[in-house]
């Protein structure tokens, strides 16, 4: 059995098990732990759950005794909807994702547009009364079509961002969420952010950086395939490059990692960045098959 088939079978069991009357908080915790293991778990679970909810609760037998039958029923339900026709767009949730180094522009049914950065997973549901997006990982630039009757809500970890129509980006790294406003205004769990503002949340702590248009512009350089740094440490710059590339930058030595760097660089050229560090800062550069090591030059 392929890994994808195994994931489908387990997801199918979870979908059906969740409908049982004895579903408990412990069961929910175990489900959430399984979903958090791999983004593919979430995507498969959402797709099967959606198909199952549309065809009705056609349960047959015990979930614990018949996991393969559960998977077969749910996968058949998906095929039924594929043959019978798509679910109305106002009811369906669409999943979009990019791999490491990838970028993607996605139009939504309401006229809004999403620009997905590297290694991003997002789910969007456009309804008659509400427009919602769930950002599971990565970074998205939102160009939201104005609609006073339907708020546009972005769920990113512990934070909820609500707008009517504006341009902004949201980046999520686990529980760390950063919102940068380009145009209009957004509400982040009650706090208002205006153009040029950056709101950063780490756990329950949230801080707002007012009037930082250059920082916002730097944060959005990825839309042009660039990375922009303004007195970032070399460790921070390397971490950003590593989000986009299989070949990783490794900085050796605390003093070297703390060095500051400014400028704009192509996100897909860590080798060029390494050469600049060698030529400008006279740092040692060691090329290896899967990494580029930057360190202080020997005296």
């Amino acid at each position: 059995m392929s890994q994808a088939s195994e994931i489908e079978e387990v997801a199918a069991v979870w979908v059906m098990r969740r409908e049982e009357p004895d579903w408990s908080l412990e069961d929910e915790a175990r489900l959430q732990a399984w979903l958090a293991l791999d983004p593919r778990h979430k995507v498969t679970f959402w797709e099967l759950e959606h198909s199952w909810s549309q065809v009705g609760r056609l349960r047959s037998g015990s979930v614990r005794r018949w996991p393969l039958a559960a998977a077969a029923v749910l996968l058949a339900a998906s095929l039924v909807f594929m043959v019978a026709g798509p679910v109305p767009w106002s009811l369906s949730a669409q999943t979009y994702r990019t791999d490491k180094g990838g970028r993607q522009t996605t139009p939504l049914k309401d006229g809004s547009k999403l620009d997905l950065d590297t290694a991003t997973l997002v789910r969007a549901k456009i309804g008659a009364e509400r427009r919602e997006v769930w950002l599971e990982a990565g970074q998205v630039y939102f160009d939201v079509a104005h609609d006073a009757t339907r708020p546009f809500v972005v769920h990113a970890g512990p934070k909820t961002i609500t707008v009517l129509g504006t341009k902004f980006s949201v980046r999520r790294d686990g529980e760390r969420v950063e919102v940068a406003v380009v145009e209009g205004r957004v509400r982040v769990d009650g706090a208002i952010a205006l153009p040029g503002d950056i709101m950063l949340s780490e756990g329950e702590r949230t801080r707002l950086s007012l009037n930082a248009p250059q920082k916002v512009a730097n944060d959005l350089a990825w839309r042009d395939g660039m990375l922009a740094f303004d007195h970032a440490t070399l460790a921070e710059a390397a971490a950003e490059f590593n989000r986009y590339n299989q070949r990783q930058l490794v900085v050796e030595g605390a003093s070297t990692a703390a060095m500051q760097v400014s400028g704009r660089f192509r996100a897909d050229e860590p080798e060029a960045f390494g050469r600049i560090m060698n030529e400008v800062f006279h740092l040692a550069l060691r090329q290896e098959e899967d990494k580029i090591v930057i360190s202080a030059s020997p005296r």
Side-chain angles (χ1 to χ4, degrees):
M1 180 183 295
S2 69
Q3 187 175 19
S5 297
E6 292 177 356
I7 292 173
E8 286 176 348
E9 181 178 338
V10 175
V13 173
W14 278 119
V15 170
M16 293 190 69
R17 178 69 185 90
R18 207 178 196 185
E19 295 297 320
E20 296 297 316
D22 61 342
W23 180 259
S24 66
L25 292 176
E26 290 77 10
D27 292 326
E28 182 66 27
R30 285 193 289 269
L31 168 60
Q32 295 303 322
W34 181 76
L35 293 175
L37 288 175
D38 191 318
R40 292 173 296 179
H41 293 182
K42 293 182 178 180
V43 173
T44 304
F45 179 82
W46 290 332
E47 290 173 345
L48 293 180
E49 183 182 47
H50 179 69
S51 296
W52 185 244
S53 67
Q54 297 302 314
V55 299
R57 312 300 190 236
L58 303 178
R59 290 174 295 183
S60 176
S62 168
V63 173
R64 292 188 180 94
R65 292 178 58 191
W66 303 106
L68 288 175
V73 169
L74 287 171
L75 293 175
S78 300
L79 292 174
V80 166
F81 274 89
M82 289 175 65
V83 173
V87 178
W89 67 266
S90 59
L91 299 178
S92 62
Q94 299 294 322
T95 300
Y96 308 99
R97 66 188 306 163
T98 55
D99 295 326
K100 176 176 283 193
R103 292 197 303 274
Q104 174 182 318
T105 297
T106 300
L108 300 181
K109 297 289 186 177
D110 67 329
S112 300
K113 184 175 69 172
L114 310 182
D115 287 351
L116 279 65
D117 194 10
T118 178
T120 293
L121 175 62
V122 66
R123 188 167 53 116
K125 182 176 181 180
I126 308 299
E129 298 180 354
R130 191 176 176 91
R131 302 174 289 173
E132 292 187 272
V133 171
W134 291 263
L135 177 59
E136 298 298 330
Q139 182 166 225
V140 179
Y141 175 82
F142 295 86
D143 186 347
V144 178
H146 183 80
D147 187 339
T149 65
R150 289 187 298 170
F152 193 101
V153 181
V154 180
H155 305 281
K159 292 301 172 183
T160 300
I161 302 101
T162 306
V163 303
L164 294 177
T166 186
K167 298 178 180 179
F168 63 103
S169 73
V170 182
R171 176 172 171 177
R172 180 182 176 187
D173 298 303
E175 296 301 293
R176 185 179 187 272
V177 178
E178 182 173 314
V179 181
V181 184
V182 177
E183 185 178 296
R185 57 193 294 173
V186 307
R187 185 173 75 243
V188 183
D189 289 343
I192 299 297
L194 301 175
D197 288 351
I198 293 178
M199 186 167 287
L200 179 63
S201 170
E202 296 180 283
E204 296 184 355
R205 295 178 54 201
T206 301
R207 66 176 186 269
L208 180 65
S209 301
L210 300 174
N211 302 317
Q214 186 56 52
K215 176 66 165 60
V216 171
N218 287 347
D219 284 354
L220 295 178
W222 62 268
R223 299 183 66 216
D224 298 319
M226 306 293 289
L227 293 175
F229 304 118
D230 183 13
H231 295 92
T233 66
L234 189 51
E236 292 170 338
E240 284 300 294
F241 272 99
N242 291 343
R243 293 178 60 231
Y244 294 85
N245 300 282
Q246 297 297 333
R247 196 176 190 200
Q248 301 282 279
L249 286 172
V250 177
V251 182
E252 293 183 342
S255 59
T256 303
M259 295 179 62
Q260 294 188 344
V261 58
S262 299
R264 289 172 61 90
F265 309 89
R266 284 193 57 85
D268 59 354
E269 294 185 355
E271 296 85 357
F273 179 78
R275 288 195 298 272
I276 292 173
M277 295 301 100
N278 171 255
E279 295 169 1
V280 175
F281 295 104
H282 307 293
L283 296 175
L285 200 63
R286 187 169 76 250
Q287 303 274 357
E288 299 184 8
E289 183 177 354
D290 59 346
K291 61 185 176 181
I292 301 168
V293 182
I294 302 173
S295 61
S297 296
R299 296 182 181 278

